[in-house]
Coordinates of all heavy atoms in Angstrom, one line a residue:
M1 N -0.1 4.1 -18.7 CA 0.9 3.1 -18.7 C 1.2 2.6 -17.3 O 0.9 3.2 -16.3 CB 2.2 3.7 -19.4 CG 2.9 4.7 -18.6 SD 4.5 5.2 -19.3 CE 5.6 4.0 -18.5
L2 N 1.9 1.4 -17.3 CA 2.3 0.9 -16.0 C 3.7 1.4 -15.8 O 4.6 1.3 -16.7 CB 2.3 -0.6 -16.0 CG 1.0 -1.3 -16.0 CD1 1.2 -2.8 -16.0 CD2 0.1 -0.9 -14.8
D3 N 4.0 2.0 -14.6 CA 5.3 2.5 -14.3 C 6.2 1.3 -13.7 O 6.1 1.0 -12.5 CB 5.2 3.6 -13.3 CG 6.5 4.3 -13.0 OD1 7.5 4.0 -13.7 OD2 6.6 5.2 -12.2
K4 N 6.9 0.6 -14.6 CA 7.6 -0.6 -14.2 C 8.9 -0.3 -13.5 O 9.5 -1.2 -13.0 CB 7.9 -1.4 -15.5 CG 6.6 -2.0 -16.1 CD 6.9 -2.8 -17.3 CE 5.6 -3.3 -17.9 NZ 5.9 -4.1 -19.1
R5 N 9.2 1.0 -13.3 CA 10.4 1.3 -12.5 C 10.1 1.2 -11.0 O 11.0 1.1 -10.2 CB 10.8 2.8 -12.8 CG 11.2 3.0 -14.3 CD 11.4 4.4 -14.5 NE 10.2 5.2 -14.2 CZ 10.2 6.5 -14.0 NH1 11.3 7.2 -14.0 NH2 9.1 7.2 -13.7
R6 N 8.8 1.2 -10.7 CA 8.4 1.2 -9.2 C 7.5 0.0 -9.0 O 6.3 0.2 -9.0 CB 7.7 2.5 -8.9 CG 8.6 3.7 -9.0 CD 7.8 5.0 -8.7 NE 8.6 6.1 -8.7 CZ 8.9 6.9 -9.8 NH1 8.4 6.5 -11.0 NH2 9.7 7.9 -9.7
D7 N 8.0 -1.1 -8.7 CA 7.2 -2.3 -8.4 C 6.9 -2.3 -6.9 O 7.7 -1.9 -6.1 CB 7.8 -3.6 -8.9 CG 9.2 -3.8 -8.3 OD1 9.9 -2.9 -7.9 OD2 9.6 -5.0 -8.2
K8 N 5.8 -2.9 -6.6 CA 5.4 -3.0 -5.2 C 5.7 -4.4 -4.7 O 6.0 -5.3 -5.4 CB 3.9 -2.6 -5.1 CG 3.6 -1.2 -5.4 CD 2.2 -0.8 -5.1 CE 2.0 0.7 -5.3 NZ 0.9 1.2 -4.7
E9 N 5.4 -4.6 -3.4 CA 5.8 -5.9 -2.8 C 4.9 -7.0 -3.4 O 5.4 -8.1 -3.4 CB 5.5 -5.8 -1.3 CG 6.5 -4.9 -0.6 CD 6.3 -4.9 0.9 OE1 5.4 -5.6 1.4 OE2 6.9 -4.1 1.6
D10 N 3.7 -6.7 -3.8 CA 2.8 -7.8 -4.3 C 3.1 -8.0 -5.8 O 2.4 -8.8 -6.4 CB 1.4 -7.4 -4.1 CG 0.9 -6.1 -4.7 OD1 1.8 -5.4 -5.2 OD2 -0.3 -5.8 -4.7
G11 N 4.0 -7.3 -6.4 CA 4.4 -7.5 -7.8 C 3.6 -6.6 -8.8 O 3.6 -6.8 -10.0
S12 N 2.8 -5.7 -8.2 CA 2.0 -4.8 -9.1 C 2.8 -3.5 -9.3 O 3.8 -3.2 -8.7 CB 0.7 -4.5 -8.4 OG 0.9 -3.8 -7.2
Y13 N 2.3 -2.8 -10.3 CA 3.0 -1.5 -10.7 C 2.0 -0.4 -10.7 O 0.8 -0.6 -11.1 CB 3.5 -1.7 -12.2 CG 4.5 -2.7 -12.3 CD1 4.2 -4.0 -12.9 CD2 5.9 -2.6 -11.9 CE1 5.1 -5.0 -13.1 CE2 6.8 -3.6 -12.1 CZ 6.4 -4.8 -12.7 OH 7.4 -5.8 -12.8
P14 N 2.4 0.8 -10.4 CA 1.4 1.9 -10.4 C 1.0 2.3 -11.8 O 1.8 2.2 -12.7 CB 2.2 3.1 -9.7 CG 3.5 2.5 -9.3 CD 3.7 1.2 -9.9
L15 N -0.3 2.6 -11.9 CA -0.8 3.0 -13.2 C -0.7 4.6 -13.3 O -1.1 5.3 -12.3 CB -2.3 2.6 -13.2 CG -3.0 2.8 -14.5 CD1 -2.4 2.0 -15.6 CD2 -4.5 2.4 -14.4
V16 N 0.0 5.1 -14.3 CA 0.2 6.5 -14.4 C -0.1 7.0 -15.8 O -0.2 6.2 -16.8 CB 1.7 6.8 -14.2 CG1 2.1 6.5 -12.7 CG2 2.6 6.1 -15.1
L17 N -0.4 8.3 -15.9 CA -0.6 8.9 -17.2 C 0.7 9.7 -17.5 O 1.2 10.5 -16.7 CB -1.8 9.9 -17.0 CG -2.1 10.7 -18.3 CD1 -2.6 9.8 -19.4 CD2 -3.2 11.8 -18.0
R18 N 1.3 9.3 -18.6 CA 2.6 9.9 -19.0 C 2.4 11.1 -20.0 O 1.8 10.8 -21.1 CB 3.5 8.9 -19.6 CG 4.9 9.5 -20.0 CD 5.8 8.4 -20.5 NE 5.3 7.9 -21.7 CZ 5.8 6.8 -22.3 NH1 6.9 6.3 -21.9 NH2 5.3 6.4 -23.4
L19 N 2.8 12.3 -19.7 CA 2.7 13.4 -20.6 C 4.2 13.8 -20.9 O 5.0 13.9 -20.0 CB 2.0 14.6 -19.9 CG 0.6 14.3 -19.4 CD1 0.1 15.5 -18.6 CD2 -0.3 14.0 -20.6
T20 N 4.4 14.1 -22.2 CA 5.7 14.6 -22.6 C 5.5 15.9 -23.4 O 4.7 16.0 -24.3 CB 6.3 13.5 -23.6 OG1 6.3 12.3 -23.0 CG2 7.7 13.9 -24.0
H21 N 6.3 16.9 -23.0 CA 6.3 18.2 -23.6 C 7.8 18.7 -23.7 O 8.5 18.8 -22.7 CB 5.5 19.2 -22.8 CG 5.4 20.5 -23.4 ND1 4.9 20.8 -24.6 CD2 5.9 21.7 -22.9 CE1 4.9 22.1 -24.8 NE2 5.6 22.7 -23.8
R22 N 8.2 19.0 -24.9 CA 9.6 19.4 -25.1 C 10.6 18.5 -24.5 O 11.5 18.9 -23.8 CB 9.8 20.8 -24.6 CG 9.0 21.8 -25.4 CD 9.3 23.2 -24.9 NE 8.4 24.2 -25.7 CZ 8.3 25.4 -25.4 NH1 9.0 26.0 -24.5 NH2 7.5 26.2 -26.1
R23 N 10.4 17.2 -24.8 CA 11.3 16.1 -24.3 C 11.3 16.0 -22.8 O 12.2 15.3 -22.2 CB 12.7 16.3 -24.8 CG 12.8 16.2 -26.3 CD 14.3 16.3 -26.7 NE 14.4 16.4 -28.2 CZ 15.5 16.6 -28.8 NH1 16.6 16.7 -28.2 NH2 15.5 16.6 -30.1
R24 N 10.4 16.6 -22.1 CA 10.3 16.4 -20.6 C 9.1 15.7 -20.3 O 8.0 16.0 -20.7 CB 10.3 17.8 -20.0 CG 10.4 17.8 -18.5 CD 10.7 19.1 -18.0 NE 10.8 19.0 -16.6 CZ 10.8 20.0 -15.8 NH1 10.7 21.3 -16.2 NH2 10.9 19.9 -14.5
Q25 N 9.3 14.6 -19.5 CA 8.1 13.7 -19.1 C 7.6 14.1 -17.7 O 8.4 14.3 -16.8 CB 8.5 12.3 -19.2 CG 8.8 11.7 -20.5 CD 9.0 10.3 -20.5 OE1 9.0 9.6 -19.5 NE2 9.3 9.7 -21.7
V26 N 6.3 14.0 -17.6 CA 5.7 14.1 -16.3 C 4.8 12.9 -16.2 O 4.0 12.5 -17.1 CB 4.8 15.4 -16.2 CG1 4.1 15.5 -14.9 CG2 5.7 16.6 -16.4
L27 N 4.9 12.2 -15.0 CA 4.0 11.1 -14.7 C 3.0 11.5 -13.7 O 3.4 11.9 -12.6 CB 4.9 9.9 -14.2 CG 5.9 9.4 -15.2 CD1 6.7 8.2 -14.5 CD2 5.3 8.9 -16.5
I28 N 1.7 11.3 -14.0 CA 0.6 11.6 -13.1 C 0.0 10.3 -12.6 O -0.5 9.5 -13.4 CB -0.4 12.5 -13.8 CG1 0.2 13.7 -14.4 CG2 -1.6 12.8 -12.9 CD1 -0.7 14.5 -15.3
P29 N 0.1 10.0 -11.3 CA -0.4 8.8 -10.8 C -2.0 8.7 -10.9 O -2.6 9.7 -10.6 CB 0.1 8.7 -9.3 CG 0.4 10.1 -9.0 CD 0.7 10.8 -10.3
M30 N -2.5 7.6 -11.2 CA -3.9 7.4 -11.3 C -4.6 6.8 -10.1 O -5.8 6.8 -10.0 CB -4.3 6.5 -12.5 CG -3.9 7.1 -13.9 SD -5.0 8.5 -14.3 CE -4.0 9.9 -14.1
G31 N -3.7 6.4 -9.1 CA -4.3 5.9 -7.9 C -4.6 4.4 -7.9 O -5.2 3.9 -6.9
Y32 N -4.1 3.7 -8.9 CA -4.3 2.2 -9.0 C -3.0 1.5 -9.2 O -2.1 2.1 -9.8 CB -5.3 1.9 -10.1 CG -6.7 2.4 -9.9 CD1 -7.1 3.6 -10.4 CD2 -7.6 1.6 -9.1 CE1 -8.4 4.0 -10.2 CE2 -8.9 2.1 -8.9 CZ -9.3 3.3 -9.5 OH -10.6 3.7 -9.2
S33 N -2.9 0.3 -8.8 CA -1.7 -0.5 -9.0 C -2.2 -1.8 -9.7 O -3.2 -2.4 -9.1 CB -1.0 -0.8 -7.8 OG -0.4 0.3 -7.3
L34 N -1.6 -2.2 -10.7 CA -2.0 -3.4 -11.5 C -0.9 -4.4 -11.7 O 0.3 -4.0 -11.8 CB -2.6 -3.0 -12.9 CG -3.8 -2.1 -12.9 CD1 -4.0 -1.7 -14.4 CD2 -5.0 -2.7 -12.4
Q35 N -1.3 -5.6 -11.8 CA -0.3 -6.7 -12.2 C -0.1 -6.5 -13.7 O -1.0 -6.0 -14.4 CB -0.9 -8.1 -12.0 CG -1.2 -8.4 -10.5 CD 0.1 -8.7 -9.8 OE1 1.1 -9.2 -10.3 NE2 0.1 -8.5 -8.5
E36 N 1.0 -6.9 -14.2 CA 1.3 -6.8 -15.6 C 0.4 -7.6 -16.5 O 0.0 -7.2 -17.6 CB 2.8 -7.2 -15.9 CG 3.3 -6.8 -17.3 CD 4.8 -7.0 -17.4 OE1 5.4 -7.5 -16.5 OE2 5.3 -6.7 -18.5
K37 N -0.1 -8.7 -15.9 CA -1.1 -9.6 -16.7 C -2.4 -8.9 -16.8 O -3.2 -9.3 -17.7 CB -1.2 -10.9 -16.0 CG -1.8 -10.8 -14.6 CD -2.0 -12.2 -14.0 CE -2.6 -11.9 -12.6 NZ -3.1 -13.1 -12.0
D38 N -2.8 -7.9 -16.0 CA -4.1 -7.3 -16.0 C -4.1 -6.1 -16.9 O -5.2 -5.4 -17.1 CB -4.5 -6.9 -14.6 CG -4.7 -8.0 -13.7 OD1 -5.2 -9.1 -14.2 OD2 -4.6 -7.9 -12.5
W39 N -3.0 -5.7 -17.6 CA -2.9 -4.5 -18.4 C -2.7 -4.9 -19.9 O -1.9 -5.7 -20.2 CB -1.8 -3.6 -17.9 CG -1.6 -2.3 -18.7 CD1 -0.6 -2.0 -19.5 CD2 -2.5 -1.2 -18.6 NE1 -0.7 -0.7 -20.0 CE2 -1.9 -0.2 -19.5 CE3 -3.7 -0.9 -18.0 CZ2 -2.5 1.0 -19.7 CZ3 -4.3 0.3 -18.2 CH2 -3.7 1.3 -19.0
I40 N -3.5 -4.2 -20.8 CA -3.3 -4.4 -22.2 C -2.6 -3.2 -22.7 O -3.2 -2.1 -22.9 CB -4.7 -4.6 -22.9 CG1 -5.5 -5.7 -22.3 CG2 -4.5 -4.8 -24.4 CD1 -7.0 -5.7 -22.8
P41 N -1.3 -3.3 -23.0 CA -0.5 -2.1 -23.4 C -0.9 -1.5 -24.7 O -0.9 -0.3 -24.9 CB 0.9 -2.6 -23.4 CG 0.9 -4.0 -23.3 CD -0.5 -4.5 -22.9
D42 N -1.3 -2.3 -25.7 CA -1.7 -1.8 -27.0 C -2.9 -1.0 -27.0 O -3.0 0.1 -27.6 CB -1.8 -2.9 -28.0 CG -0.6 -3.7 -28.2 OD1 0.5 -3.2 -28.0 OD2 -0.6 -4.9 -28.6
L43 N -3.9 -1.4 -26.2 CA -5.2 -0.7 -26.1 C -5.2 0.3 -24.9 O -6.2 1.1 -24.8 CB -6.3 -1.7 -25.9 CG -6.5 -2.7 -27.0 CD1 -7.6 -3.7 -26.7 CD2 -6.9 -2.0 -28.3
E44 N -4.2 0.2 -24.1 CA -4.1 1.1 -22.8 C -5.4 0.9 -22.0 O -6.0 1.9 -21.6 CB -3.9 2.5 -23.2 CG -2.6 2.8 -23.9 CD -2.4 4.2 -24.3 OE1 -3.3 5.0 -24.4 OE2 -1.2 4.5 -24.6
Q45 N -5.8 -0.3 -21.7 CA -6.9 -0.7 -21.0 C -6.6 -1.8 -20.0 O -5.7 -2.5 -20.1 CB -8.1 -1.2 -21.9 CG -8.7 -0.1 -22.7 CD -9.8 -0.7 -23.6 OE1 -10.0 -1.9 -23.6 NE2 -10.6 0.2 -24.2
V46 N -7.5 -1.9 -19.0 CA -7.4 -3.0 -18.0 C -8.2 -4.2 -18.5 O -9.3 -4.0 -19.1 CB -8.0 -2.5 -16.7 CG1 -8.0 -3.6 -15.6 CG2 -7.3 -1.3 -16.2
R47 N -7.7 -5.4 -18.4 CA -8.3 -6.6 -18.8 C -9.6 -6.8 -18.0 O -9.7 -6.5 -16.8 CB -7.4 -7.8 -18.7 CG -6.3 -7.8 -19.7 CD -5.5 -9.1 -19.6 NE -4.3 -9.0 -20.3 CZ -4.1 -9.2 -21.6 NH1 -5.1 -9.6 -22.3 NH2 -2.9 -9.1 -22.1
S48 N -10.6 -7.5 -18.6 CA -11.8 -7.7 -17.9 C -11.6 -8.8 -16.8 O -12.5 -8.9 -15.9 CB -12.9 -8.2 -18.9 OG -12.5 -9.4 -19.5
S49 N -10.5 -9.5 -16.8 CA -10.3 -10.5 -15.8 C -9.6 -9.9 -14.5 O -9.4 -10.7 -13.6 CB -9.4 -11.6 -16.3 OG -8.1 -11.1 -16.7
C50 N -9.4 -8.6 -14.5 CA -8.8 -8.0 -13.4 C -9.7 -8.0 -12.1 O -10.9 -7.7 -12.2 CB -8.4 -6.5 -13.7 SG -7.6 -5.6 -12.4
K51 N -9.1 -8.4 -11.0 CA -9.9 -8.5 -9.7 C -9.7 -7.4 -8.7 O -10.3 -7.5 -7.6 CB -9.5 -9.9 -9.1 CG -9.8 -11.1 -10.0 CD -11.2 -11.2 -10.3 CE -11.4 -12.5 -11.1 NZ -12.7 -12.5 -11.7
I52 N -8.9 -6.4 -9.0 CA -8.6 -5.3 -8.0 C -9.8 -4.3 -7.9 O -9.8 -3.6 -6.9 CB -7.3 -4.6 -8.3 CG1 -7.4 -3.8 -9.6 CG2 -6.1 -5.5 -8.3 CD1 -6.5 -2.6 -9.6
V53 N -10.6 -4.3 -8.9 CA -11.8 -3.3 -8.8 C -13.1 -4.1 -9.1 O -13.1 -5.2 -9.6 CB -11.6 -2.2 -9.9 CG1 -10.5 -1.3 -9.6 CG2 -11.5 -2.8 -11.3
S54 N -14.2 -3.5 -8.6 CA -15.4 -4.2 -8.8 C -16.0 -4.0 -10.2 O -16.7 -4.9 -10.7 CB -16.5 -3.6 -7.8 OG -16.6 -2.2 -8.0
S55 N -15.6 -2.9 -10.9 CA -16.1 -2.7 -12.2 C -14.9 -2.3 -13.1 O -14.5 -1.1 -13.0 CB -17.2 -1.6 -12.2 OG -17.6 -1.3 -13.6
V56 N -14.5 -3.2 -14.0 CA -13.4 -2.9 -14.9 C -13.8 -1.9 -15.9 O -13.1 -1.0 -16.3 CB -12.9 -4.2 -15.6 CG1 -11.9 -3.9 -16.6 CG2 -12.3 -5.1 -14.5
V57 N -15.1 -1.9 -16.3 CA -15.6 -1.0 -17.3 C -15.6 0.5 -16.7 O -15.1 1.4 -17.4 CB -17.1 -1.3 -17.7 CG1 -17.7 -0.3 -18.6 CG2 -17.1 -2.7 -18.4
R58 N -15.9 0.6 -15.5 CA -15.8 1.9 -14.8 C -14.4 2.4 -14.8 O -14.1 3.6 -15.0 CB -16.4 1.8 -13.5 CG -16.6 3.2 -12.8 CD -17.3 3.1 -11.5 NE -18.7 2.8 -11.8 CZ -19.6 2.4 -10.9 NH1 -19.2 2.3 -9.6 NH2 -20.8 2.2 -11.2
L59 N -13.5 1.6 -14.5 CA -12.1 2.0 -14.4 C -11.5 2.4 -15.8 O -10.9 3.4 -15.9 CB -11.2 0.8 -13.8 CG -9.7 1.1 -13.7 CD1 -9.4 2.4 -13.0 CD2 -9.0 -0.1 -13.2
N60 N -11.9 1.6 -16.8 CA -11.5 2.0 -18.2 C -12.1 3.3 -18.6 O -11.4 4.1 -19.3 CB -11.8 0.9 -19.2 CG -10.8 -0.3 -19.1 OD1 -9.7 -0.1 -18.7 ND2 -11.3 -1.5 -19.4
N61 N -13.3 3.6 -18.2 CA -14.0 4.8 -18.6 C -13.3 6.0 -17.8 O -13.1 7.1 -18.4 CB -15.5 4.8 -18.2 CG -16.2 4.0 -19.2 OD1 -15.8 3.8 -20.4 ND2 -17.4 3.5 -18.8
F62 N -12.9 5.8 -16.6 CA -12.2 6.8 -15.8 C -10.8 7.1 -16.5 O -10.5 8.3 -16.6 CB -11.9 6.2 -14.4 CG -10.9 7.0 -13.5 CD1 -11.3 8.2 -13.0 CD2 -9.7 6.5 -13.3 CE1 -10.4 9.0 -12.2 CE2 -8.7 7.2 -12.6 CZ -9.1 8.5 -12.0
L63 N -10.1 6.1 -16.9 CA -8.8 6.3 -17.6 C -9.0 7.1 -18.9 O -8.2 8.0 -19.2 CB -8.1 5.0 -17.8 CG -7.7 4.2 -16.6 CD1 -7.1 2.8 -17.0 CD2 -6.7 5.0 -15.8
L64 N -10.1 6.7 -19.6 CA -10.3 7.4 -20.9 C -10.7 8.9 -20.6 O -10.2 9.8 -21.4 CB -11.5 6.7 -21.6 CG -11.9 7.3 -23.0 CD1 -10.7 7.1 -23.9 CD2 -13.1 6.6 -23.5
K65 N -11.4 9.2 -19.6 CA -11.8 10.6 -19.3 C -10.5 11.4 -18.9 O -10.4 12.5 -19.3 CB -12.8 10.6 -18.1 CG -14.2 10.2 -18.5 CD -15.1 10.3 -17.3 CE -16.5 9.8 -17.7 NZ -17.4 9.9 -16.5
K66 N -9.6 10.7 -18.2 CA -8.4 11.4 -17.8 C -7.5 11.7 -19.0 O -6.9 12.8 -19.1 CB -7.6 10.6 -16.8 CG -8.2 10.5 -15.4 CD -8.1 11.8 -14.7 CE -8.6 11.7 -13.3 NZ -8.5 13.0 -12.6
K67 N -7.4 10.8 -20.0 CA -6.7 11.0 -21.2 C -7.3 12.1 -22.0 O -6.6 13.0 -22.6 CB -6.6 9.7 -22.0 CG -5.6 8.7 -21.4 CD -5.3 7.6 -22.4 CE -6.5 6.7 -22.6 NZ -6.2 5.5 -23.4
V68 N -8.6 12.1 -22.1 CA -9.3 13.2 -22.9 C -9.1 14.5 -22.3 O -8.9 15.5 -23.0 CB -10.8 12.8 -23.1 CG1 -11.6 14.0 -23.6 CG2 -11.0 11.6 -23.9
A69 N -9.2 14.6 -20.9 CA -9.0 15.9 -20.2 C -7.6 16.4 -20.5 O -7.4 17.6 -20.7 CB -9.3 15.7 -18.7
A70 N -6.6 15.5 -20.4 CA -5.2 15.9 -20.7 C -5.0 16.4 -22.1 O -4.4 17.4 -22.3 CB -4.2 14.7 -20.4
R71 N -5.6 15.7 -23.0 CA -5.5 16.2 -24.4 C -6.2 17.5 -24.6 O -5.7 18.4 -25.4 CB -6.2 15.2 -25.4 CG -5.3 14.0 -25.5 CD -5.9 13.0 -26.5 NE -5.1 11.8 -26.6 CZ -5.6 10.6 -26.7 NH1 -6.9 10.4 -26.9 NH2 -4.8 9.5 -26.7
D72 N -7.3 17.8 -23.9 CA -8.0 19.1 -24.0 C -7.1 20.2 -23.5 O -7.1 21.3 -24.1 CB -9.3 19.0 -23.3 CG -10.4 18.3 -24.0 OD1 -10.2 18.0 -25.2 OD2 -11.4 17.9 -23.4
I73 N -6.4 19.9 -22.4 CA -5.6 20.9 -21.8 C -4.4 21.2 -22.8 O -4.0 22.4 -23.0 CB -5.1 20.5 -20.4 CG1 -6.2 20.5 -19.4 CG2 -3.9 21.4 -19.9 CD1 -5.9 19.8 -18.1
I74 N -3.8 20.2 -23.3 CA -2.7 20.3 -24.3 C -3.1 21.2 -25.5 O -2.4 22.0 -25.9 CB -2.1 19.0 -24.7 CG1 -1.4 18.4 -23.5 CG2 -1.2 19.1 -25.8 CD1 -1.1 16.9 -23.7
N75 N -4.3 20.8 -26.0 CA -4.8 21.5 -27.2 C -5.1 23.0 -26.9 O -5.1 23.8 -27.7 CB -5.9 20.8 -27.9 CG -5.5 19.5 -28.5 OD1 -4.3 19.4 -28.9 ND2 -6.4 18.5 -28.6

């Protein structure tokens, strides 16, 4: 998700992985900042028109791997 509580000077938001356990949230930064127009909230993916990275497919795969790893730890 985009952490809209912390906007940067260029109008981008940090990309974080939000984990919730027993009503307690932990936000894990992913190391990227995106504009709101570059994020698809329903699919939890970066749009292909995003210009901050050279390969959007690689970034989406990285995010998917992080989500799968977190689910494995939880399970």
Side-chain angles (χ1 to χ4, degrees):
M1 70 172 269
L2 291 179
D3 188 5
K4 294 183 182 177
R5 300 174 301 162
R6 295 177 176 88
D7 59 334
K8 296 192 173 192
E9 292 178 6
D10 60 353
S12 64
Y13 301 101
L15 188 61
V16 295
L17 179 64
R18 180 177 63 185
L19 301 174
T20 306
H21 180 65
R22 295 184 181 173
R23 296 184 186 176
R24 189 169 180 191
Q25 289 185 2
V26 175
L27 299 177
I28 302 171
M30 294 289 107
Y32 293 95
S33 294
L34 299 174
Q35 299 281 334
E36 194 169 359
K37 65 179 180 165
D38 293 331
W39 181 248
I40 306 171
D42 298 335
L43 300 175
E44 298 177 341
Q45 290 183 349
V46 179
R47 292 187 192 272
S48 60
S49 61
C50 181
K51 302 296 182 195
I52 65 157
V53 292
S54 59
S55 176
V56 174
V57 174
R58 187 174 290 167
L59 178 56
N60 283 330
N61 286 337
F62 167 76
L63 296 175
L64 183 63
K65 286 180 185 179
K66 290 291 188 178
K67 286 193 288 187
V68 168
R71 287 183 185 143
D72 286 342
I73 292 170
I74 291 169
N75 290 333

